[in-house]
């Protein structure tokens, strides 16, 4: 807007705001307010155009700028400000920036980290203009931030936009990004169960260890175990039930720090089982029996 046109617009805008202050609430007052909005809408559109090519369409940016203009018209107090433009411009640009801050991030990033990102982004551009590498040390020196703050800001540089899981990784490997994502490993439960049961098993008597091994890892019946150990079948049943109960109680009650300092499982016959599948079957059986016990 030329200087003469702007002065004329300011004068007309002052008259409109004077009318707003005098008019009662009603249709006429709303009509004057709409006149102000319509007159300054081109300015809002020009401000919106400054933010094009940043991931948002120009039409949406114009609508956001229009919302900021409406807010400025409703909030402007001619008794405090001599001109409407110095008040409206920060209000409109603030509305646009707030939209980018709150709505355009693909990954939610705290406002503090967003501010760090802006500082790191500007510093990186300034160092690049001086042909200086934007290393961590240089960024710390240039921005006055700590190393941790620079790292957070650098990581946030990649949080504004995300890739689709169908995006191709490279021309060499081919395939989508989703094909390279990890999946939950079912063996984790096996490891957790084995480590939880191990200390309790190590605390059993040799006959109890042998009974559990024959029952859950060799798959022998209680009568066969009784013959192997030279005791009655009823005694084998009590051995197994009592052992499972103590293993379960030990796993639930023992602090993690104590478990970490136990001696290796080589002292336990169960460690001699060569196959992980046998571990899985045996520990599953232990859990079931311990639950029933």
């Amino acid at each position: 807007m030329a200087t003469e046109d702007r002065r004329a617009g300011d004068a007309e805008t002052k008259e409109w705001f004077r009318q707003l202050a005098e008019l009662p609430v009603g249709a006429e007052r709303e009509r004057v307010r709409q006149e102000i909005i319509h007159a300054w809408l081109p300015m809002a559109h020009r401000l919106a155009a400054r933010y094009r090519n940043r991931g948002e369409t120009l039409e949406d940016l114009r609508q956001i700028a229009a919302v900021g203009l409406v807010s400025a018209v409703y909030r402007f107090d001619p008794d405090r400000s001599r001109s409407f433009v110095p008040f409206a411009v920060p209000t409109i640009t603030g509305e646009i920036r707030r939209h980018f801050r709150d709505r355009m991030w693909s990954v939610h990033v705290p406002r503090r980290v967003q501010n760090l990102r802006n500082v790191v982004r500007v510093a990186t551009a300034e160092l690049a203009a001086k042909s200086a590498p934007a290393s961590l040390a240089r960024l710390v020196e240039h921005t006055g931030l700590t190393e941790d703050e620079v790292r957070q800001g650098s990581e946030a540089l990649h949080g504004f936009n995300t890739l689709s899981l169908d995006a191709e990784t490279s021309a060499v490997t081919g395939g989508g990004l989703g094909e390279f994502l990890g999946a939950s490993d079912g063996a984790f439960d096996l490891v957790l169960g084995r480590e939880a049961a191990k200390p309790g098993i190590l605390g059993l008597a040799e006959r109890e260890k042998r009974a559990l091994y024959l029952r859950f890892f060799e798959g022998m019946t209680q009568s066969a175990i009784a013959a192997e150990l030279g005791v009655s079948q009823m005694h084998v049943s009590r051995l197994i039930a009592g052992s499972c109960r103590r293993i379960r109680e030990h796993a639930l009650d023992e602090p993690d720090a104590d478990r970490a300092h136990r001696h290796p499982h080589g002292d336990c016959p169960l460690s001699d089982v060569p196959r992980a599948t046998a571990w899985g079957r045996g520990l599953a059986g232990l859990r079931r029996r311990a639950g029933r016990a």
Side-chain angles (χ1 to χ4, degrees), residues 54-99:
R54 297 193 185 185
E56 190 64 284
T57 65
L58 181 59
E59 183 60 31
D60 287 341
L61 290 174
R62 287 180 172 180
Q63 293 182 17
I64 297 162
V67 171
L69 174 62
V70 171
S71 176
V73 171
Y74 272 85
R75 292 168 48 200
F76 180 69
D77 186 352
D79 294 332
R80 295 185 177 183
S81 302
R82 299 182 58 183
S83 179
F84 174 67
V85 175
F87 177 82
V89 171
T91 304
I92 296 170
T93 54
E95 188 70 29
I96 297 173
R97 289 173 180 174
R98 186 160 45 251
H99 173 78

Coordinates of all heavy atoms in Angstrom, one line a residue, residues 54-99:
R54 N 5.6 -23.7 3.0 CA 6.0 -24.3 4.3 C 5.2 -25.4 4.7 O 5.1 -25.7 5.9 CB 6.1 -23.2 5.3 CG 7.0 -22.0 5.1 CD 7.2 -21.2 6.3 NE 8.0 -20.0 6.0 CZ 8.4 -19.1 6.9 NH1 8.1 -19.3 8.2 NH2 9.2 -18.1 6.6
G55 N 4.5 -26.1 3.8 CA 3.7 -27.2 4.1 C 2.2 -26.9 4.2 O 1.4 -27.9 4.5
E56 N 1.8 -25.7 4.1 CA 0.4 -25.3 4.2 C 0.0 -24.6 2.9 O 0.8 -23.8 2.3 CB 0.2 -24.4 5.4 CG -1.3 -24.2 5.7 CD -2.1 -25.4 6.1 OE1 -2.4 -26.2 5.2 OE2 -2.3 -25.6 7.3
T57 N -1.3 -24.8 2.4 CA -1.7 -24.2 1.2 C -1.9 -22.7 1.5 O -2.2 -22.2 2.6 CB -3.0 -24.8 0.7 OG1 -4.1 -24.5 1.7 CG2 -2.9 -26.3 0.5
L58 N -1.8 -21.9 0.4 CA -1.9 -20.4 0.5 C -3.4 -20.1 0.9 O -3.6 -19.2 1.7 CB -1.6 -19.8 -0.8 CG -1.7 -18.2 -0.9 CD1 -0.8 -17.6 0.2 CD2 -1.3 -17.7 -2.2
E59 N -4.3 -20.8 0.4 CA -5.7 -20.6 0.8 C -6.0 -20.7 2.3 O -6.6 -19.9 2.9 CB -6.7 -21.5 0.0 CG -8.2 -21.2 0.2 CD -8.6 -19.8 -0.2 OE1 -8.0 -19.2 -1.1 OE2 -9.5 -19.3 0.5
D60 N -5.4 -21.8 2.8 CA -5.6 -22.0 4.3 C -4.8 -20.9 5.1 O -5.3 -20.5 6.1 CB -5.0 -23.4 4.7 CG -5.9 -24.5 4.2 OD1 -7.1 -24.2 4.0 OD2 -5.4 -25.7 4.2
L61 N -3.7 -20.5 4.6 CA -2.9 -19.4 5.3 C -3.7 -18.1 5.2 O -3.7 -17.4 6.2 CB -1.6 -19.2 4.6 CG -0.5 -20.3 4.8 CD1 0.7 -20.1 3.9 CD2 -0.2 -20.5 6.3
R62 N -4.4 -17.9 4.1 CA -5.2 -16.7 4.1 C -6.4 -16.7 5.1 O -6.7 -15.7 5.7 CB -5.7 -16.5 2.6 CG -4.7 -16.0 1.6 CD -5.3 -15.9 0.3 NE -4.3 -15.3 -0.7 CZ -4.6 -15.0 -2.0 NH1 -5.7 -15.3 -2.5 NH2 -3.6 -14.5 -2.7
Q63 N -7.0 -17.9 5.2 CA -8.1 -18.0 6.2 C -7.6 -17.8 7.6 O -8.2 -17.1 8.4 CB -8.7 -19.4 6.0 CG -9.4 -19.6 4.7 CD -10.1 -20.9 4.7 OE1 -10.3 -21.6 5.7 NE2 -10.5 -21.4 3.5
I64 N -6.4 -18.3 7.9 CA -5.8 -18.1 9.2 C -5.5 -16.7 9.5 O -5.7 -16.1 10.6 CB -4.5 -19.0 9.4 CG1 -4.9 -20.5 9.3 CG2 -3.9 -18.8 10.7 CD1 -3.7 -21.4 9.0
A65 N -4.9 -16.0 8.4 CA -4.6 -14.6 8.6 C -5.9 -13.8 8.8 O -5.9 -12.8 9.5 CB -3.9 -14.1 7.3
A66 N -7.0 -14.2 8.1 CA -8.3 -13.5 8.2 C -8.8 -13.6 9.7 O -9.4 -12.7 10.2 CB -9.3 -14.1 7.3
V67 N -8.6 -14.8 10.3 CA -9.0 -15.0 11.7 C -8.2 -14.0 12.6 O -8.7 -13.4 13.5 CB -8.7 -16.5 12.1 CG1 -8.9 -16.6 13.6 CG2 -9.7 -17.4 11.4
G68 N -6.9 -13.9 12.3 CA -6.1 -13.0 13.1 C -6.5 -11.5 12.9 O -6.5 -10.7 13.8
L69 N -6.9 -11.2 11.7 CA -7.4 -9.8 11.4 C -8.7 -9.6 12.2 O -8.9 -8.5 12.8 CB -7.7 -9.7 9.9 CG -8.4 -8.3 9.5 CD1 -7.5 -7.1 9.8 CD2 -8.6 -8.4 7.9
V70 N -9.6 -10.5 12.2 CA -10.9 -10.4 12.9 C -10.6 -10.2 14.4 O -11.2 -9.3 15.1 CB -11.8 -11.6 12.7 CG1 -13.0 -11.5 13.6 CG2 -12.3 -11.7 11.3
S71 N -9.6 -10.9 14.9 CA -9.2 -10.8 16.3 C -8.7 -9.4 16.6 O -9.0 -8.8 17.6 CB -8.2 -11.9 16.7 OG -7.7 -11.7 18.0
A72 N -7.9 -8.9 15.6 CA -7.3 -7.6 15.8 C -8.4 -6.5 15.8 O -8.3 -5.5 16.6 CB -6.3 -7.3 14.7
V73 N -9.3 -6.6 15.0 CA -10.4 -5.6 14.9 C -11.2 -5.6 16.2 O -11.6 -4.5 16.7 CB -11.3 -5.9 13.7 CG1 -12.6 -5.0 13.7 CG2 -10.6 -5.7 12.4
Y74 N -11.5 -6.8 16.7 CA -12.3 -6.8 17.9 C -11.5 -6.3 19.1 O -12.1 -5.8 20.1 CB -12.7 -8.3 18.2 CG -14.0 -8.6 17.5 CD1 -14.1 -9.1 16.2 CD2 -15.2 -8.6 18.2 CE1 -15.3 -9.4 15.6 CE2 -16.4 -8.9 17.6 CZ -16.5 -9.3 16.3 OH -17.7 -9.6 15.7
R75 N -10.2 -6.5 19.1 CA -9.4 -6.1 20.3 C -8.8 -4.7 20.3 O -8.3 -4.2 21.3 CB -8.2 -7.2 20.5 CG -8.7 -8.6 20.8 CD -7.5 -9.6 20.6 NE -6.3 -9.1 21.3 CZ -5.1 -9.5 21.0 NH1 -4.9 -10.4 20.1 NH2 -4.1 -9.1 21.6
F76 N -8.8 -4.1 19.1 CA -8.1 -2.8 18.9 C -8.9 -1.7 19.8 O -10.1 -1.6 19.7 CB -8.1 -2.4 17.5 CG -7.4 -1.1 17.2 CD1 -6.1 -0.9 17.5 CD2 -8.2 0.0 16.8 CE1 -5.4 0.3 17.2 CE2 -7.6 1.3 16.6 CZ -6.2 1.4 16.8
D77 N -8.1 -1.0 20.5 CA -8.6 0.1 21.3 C -7.9 1.4 20.8 O -6.8 1.7 21.0 CB -8.2 -0.1 22.8 CG -8.9 1.0 23.7 OD1 -9.5 1.9 23.1 OD2 -8.8 0.8 24.9
P78 N -8.7 2.3 20.1 CA -8.1 3.5 19.5 C -7.6 4.5 20.6 O -6.8 5.4 20.3 CB -9.3 4.1 18.7 CG -10.5 3.5 19.3 CD -10.1 2.1 19.7
D79 N -8.1 4.3 21.8 CA -7.6 5.2 22.9 C -6.2 4.9 23.3 O -5.5 5.7 23.9 CB -8.5 5.1 24.1 CG -9.9 5.7 23.8 OD1 -10.0 6.6 22.9 OD2 -10.9 5.3 24.4
R80 N -5.8 3.6 23.0 CA -4.4 3.2 23.4 C -3.4 3.2 22.3 O -2.2 3.4 22.5 CB -4.5 1.8 24.0 CG -5.3 1.7 25.3 CD -5.2 0.3 25.9 NE -5.9 0.2 27.2 CZ -5.9 -0.9 27.9 NH1 -5.2 -2.0 27.5 NH2 -6.5 -1.0 29.0
S81 N -3.9 3.0 21.1 CA -3.0 3.0 19.9 C -3.5 4.0 18.9 O -4.7 4.1 18.6 CB -3.0 1.6 19.3 OG -2.6 0.6 20.2
R82 N -2.6 4.8 18.3 CA -3.0 5.8 17.4 C -3.3 5.2 16.0 O -4.1 5.8 15.3 CB -1.8 6.8 17.2 CG -1.5 7.6 18.6 CD -0.4 8.6 18.4 NE -0.8 9.6 17.4 CZ 0.0 10.6 17.0 NH1 1.2 10.7 17.5 NH2 -0.4 11.4 16.0
S83 N -2.6 4.1 15.7 CA -2.8 3.5 14.3 C -3.2 2.0 14.5 O -2.7 1.3 15.4 CB -1.5 3.7 13.5 OG -1.7 3.1 12.2
F84 N -4.0 1.6 13.6 CA -4.5 0.2 13.6 C -3.4 -0.8 13.1 O -3.3 -1.9 13.6 CB -5.8 0.1 12.8 CG -6.3 -1.3 12.6 CD1 -6.8 -2.0 13.7 CD2 -6.3 -2.0 11.4 CE1 -7.2 -3.3 13.6 CE2 -6.7 -3.3 11.3 CZ -7.2 -3.9 12.4
V85 N -2.7 -0.4 12.1 CA -1.7 -1.3 11.4 C -0.7 -1.8 12.4 O -0.4 -3.1 12.4 CB -1.1 -0.6 10.2 CG1 0.0 -1.5 9.6 CG2 -2.1 -0.3 9.2
P86 N 0.0 -1.0 13.2 CA 1.1 -1.6 14.1 C 0.5 -2.6 15.1 O 1.2 -3.4 15.6 CB 1.6 -0.3 14.8 CG 1.3 0.8 13.9 CD 0.0 0.5 13.2
F87 N -0.8 -2.5 15.3 CA -1.4 -3.4 16.2 C -1.9 -4.7 15.5 O -1.8 -5.8 16.0 CB -2.7 -2.8 16.9 CG -3.4 -3.7 17.8 CD1 -3.0 -4.0 19.1 CD2 -4.6 -4.4 17.3 CE1 -3.7 -4.8 19.9 CE2 -5.3 -5.3 18.1 CZ -4.9 -5.5 19.4
A88 N -2.4 -4.5 14.3 CA -2.9 -5.6 13.5 C -1.9 -6.6 13.0 O -2.0 -7.8 13.0 CB -3.8 -5.1 12.4
V89 N -0.7 -6.1 12.5 CA 0.3 -6.9 11.9 C 0.8 -8.0 12.9 O 0.9 -9.2 12.5 CB 1.4 -6.0 11.3 CG1 2.6 -6.9 10.9 CG2 0.9 -5.2 10.1
P90 N 1.3 -7.6 14.1 CA 1.7 -8.6 15.0 C 0.6 -9.6 15.4 O 0.9 -10.8 15.6 CB 2.2 -7.9 16.2 CG 2.4 -6.5 15.8 CD 1.4 -6.3 14.7
T91 N -0.6 -9.2 15.5 CA -1.7 -10.1 15.8 C -1.9 -11.1 14.7 O -2.1 -12.3 15.0 CB -3.0 -9.3 16.0 OG1 -2.8 -8.3 17.0 CG2 -4.2 -10.2 16.4
I92 N -1.9 -10.7 13.5 CA -2.1 -11.6 12.3 C -0.9 -12.6 12.2 O -1.1 -13.8 12.0 CB -2.3 -10.8 11.0 CG1 -3.6 -9.9 11.1 CG2 -2.4 -11.7 9.8 CD1 -3.7 -8.9 10.0
T93 N 0.3 -12.1 12.2 CA 1.4 -12.9 12.1 C 1.5 -13.9 13.3 O 1.9 -15.1 13.1 CB 2.7 -12.1 12.0 OG1 2.8 -11.2 13.1 CG2 2.8 -11.3 10.7
G94 N 1.1 -13.4 14.5 CA 1.1 -14.3 15.6 C 0.1 -15.5 15.4 O 0.4 -16.6 15.8
E95 N -1.0 -15.2 14.8 CA -2.0 -16.2 14.6 C -1.5 -17.3 13.6 O -1.7 -18.5 13.8 CB -3.3 -15.6 14.0 CG -4.5 -16.6 13.9 CD -5.0 -17.0 15.2 OE1 -4.9 -16.2 16.2 OE2 -5.5 -18.1 15.3
I96 N -0.8 -16.8 12.6 CA -0.2 -17.7 11.6 C 0.9 -18.6 12.2 O 1.0 -19.8 12.0 CB 0.4 -16.9 10.4 CG1 -0.7 -16.2 9.6 CG2 1.1 -17.9 9.4 CD1 -0.2 -15.2 8.6
R97 N 1.8 -18.0 13.0 CA 2.9 -18.7 13.6 C 2.3 -19.7 14.6 O 2.9 -20.8 14.8 CB 3.8 -17.7 14.3 CG 4.7 -16.9 13.3 CD 5.5 -15.9 14.0 NE 6.2 -15.1 13.1 CZ 7.0 -14.0 13.5 NH1 7.0 -13.6 14.7 NH2 7.6 -13.3 12.6
R98 N 1.3 -19.3 15.3 CA 0.7 -20.3 16.3 C 0.1 -21.5 15.6 O 0.1 -22.6 16.1 CB -0.4 -19.5 17.1 CG -1.0 -20.4 18.2 CD -1.7 -19.5 19.2 NE -2.6 -18.5 18.7 CZ -2.3 -17.2 18.7 NH1 -1.2 -16.7 19.3 NH2 -3.1 -16.3 18.2
H99 N -0.5 -21.2 14.4 CA -1.0 -22.4 13.6 C 0.1 -23.3 13.2 O 0.0 -24.5 13.4 CB -1.6 -21.8 12.3 CG -2.1 -22.9 11.4 ND1 -3.2 -23.7 11.5 CD2 -1.5 -23.4 10.2 CE1 -3.3 -24.5 10.5 NE2 -2.3 -24.4 9.7

